[in-house]
Amino acid sequence: SYLVECILDGLKWETIKSAGSLLCELFRSNPNYQSDVMVALHLLLVPTKPALAQRVSLAALAQLVDEDYAGSDWPNQLIPQLLILLEGRDLRVSADSYCLLCSLVRRFRCDTMLWDFARQLNQPQDVDAWAVVEVAAAKAPAVQAPENLAKRLKLQTDAEIVRVSGSGSLADYGASCHEEAVSVLK
């Protein structure tokens, strides 16, 4: 519990990363604490927790799965929560969730647990929007020069910032937030 508080209150990435490593080491080295560590890692996956805490939990779980410490009940416990995080606002958390999902599917061959989720994605919400994307993709040149790609990425980032902020301009959005948005989209 103190370790979870440390992760939630941590301000520096190195401290948080060390706490995640400590959770993994506790899980590996002391079977008496494995259930407590799992509870802590699940608590950190709650969507209301900070993104860094979620990422530490996801990284720790992925490491334990890759090292064959995962129990046979892990897919049932984790997949519903991972699907929620996959659709979350933080792209890094979504990417880490996807990586852990892939590890679970490879390790446990539990792809059937994702079929309902895939069916939901396979149903187009807006046929006109899909048609616009398809037409634009058909007209786009096969290879774009890096500077055109960078320009397009900047325009997409600016448009997304304006859309999310709702202010109609970039004036309210600081330079550091803009740079972070660009780095996330890269």
Side-chain angles (χ1 to χ4, degrees):
S1 66
Y2 290 121
L3 201 50
V4 171
E5 287 179 33
C6 173
I7 291 172
L8 291 173
D9 293 338
L11 298 176
K12 295 192 177 201
W13 173 242
E14 288 302 318
T15 306
I16 295 171
K17 197 165 68 171
S18 297
S21 297
L22 182 58
L23 281 170
C24 283
E25 196 56 40
L26 255 174
F27 187 91
R28 283 188 217 105
S29 301
N30 197 337
N32 295 334
Y33 289 103
Q34 285 182 347
S35 62
D36 293 335
V37 170
M38 284 305 295
V39 167
L41 291 172
H42 281 280
L43 284 174
L44 293 172
L45 288 179
V46 175
T48 57
K49 299 295 183 194
L52 279 178
Q54 293 170 341
R55 292 187 69 209
V56 166
S57 180
L58 290 165
L61 289 165
Q63 186 175 1
L64 292 171
V65 168
D66 290 343
E67 294 173 359
D68 290 333
Y69 283 99
S72 60
D73 58 338
W74 282 30
N76 292 331
Q77 293 175 1
L78 290 173
I79 287 177
Q81 187 65 36
L82 293 175
L83 293 176
I84 292 169
L85 292 176
L86 193 62
E87 296 179 326
R89 293 181 53 116
D90 191 296
L91 293 177
R92 293 180 207 136
V93 171
S94 297
D96 291 344
S97 298
Y98 176 77
C99 291
L100 181 53
L101 272 171
C102 290
S103 294
L104 287 169
V105 167
R106 278 193 306 272
R107 170 85 168 83
F108 294 101
R109 306 207 186 291
C110 57
D111 58 321
T112 56
M113 294 180 72
L114 300 172
W115 287 359
D116 289 335
F117 179 74
R119 279 188 201 102
Q120 291 172 358
L121 292 178
N122 202 17
Q123 298 173 359
Q125 295 353 5
D126 184 358
V127 176
D128 293 332
W130 279 106
V132 168
V133 170
E134 289 295 327
V135 168
K139 290 180 181 178
V143 177
Q144 294 183 352
E147 56 274 351
N148 290 343
L149 205 53
K151 231 184 271 184
R152 187 169 146 212
L153 181 62
K154 183 179 181 333
L155 289 172
Q156 287 175 337
T157 304
D158 291 345
E160 184 65 14
I161 290 169
V162 169
R163 185 187 69 77
V164 170
S165 68
S167 67
S169 76
L170 295 174
D172 299 336
Y173 215 79
S176 64
C177 291
H178 185 271
E179 290 171 10
E180 181 180 348
V182 170
S183 69
V184 166
L185 288 172
K186 284 183 183 176

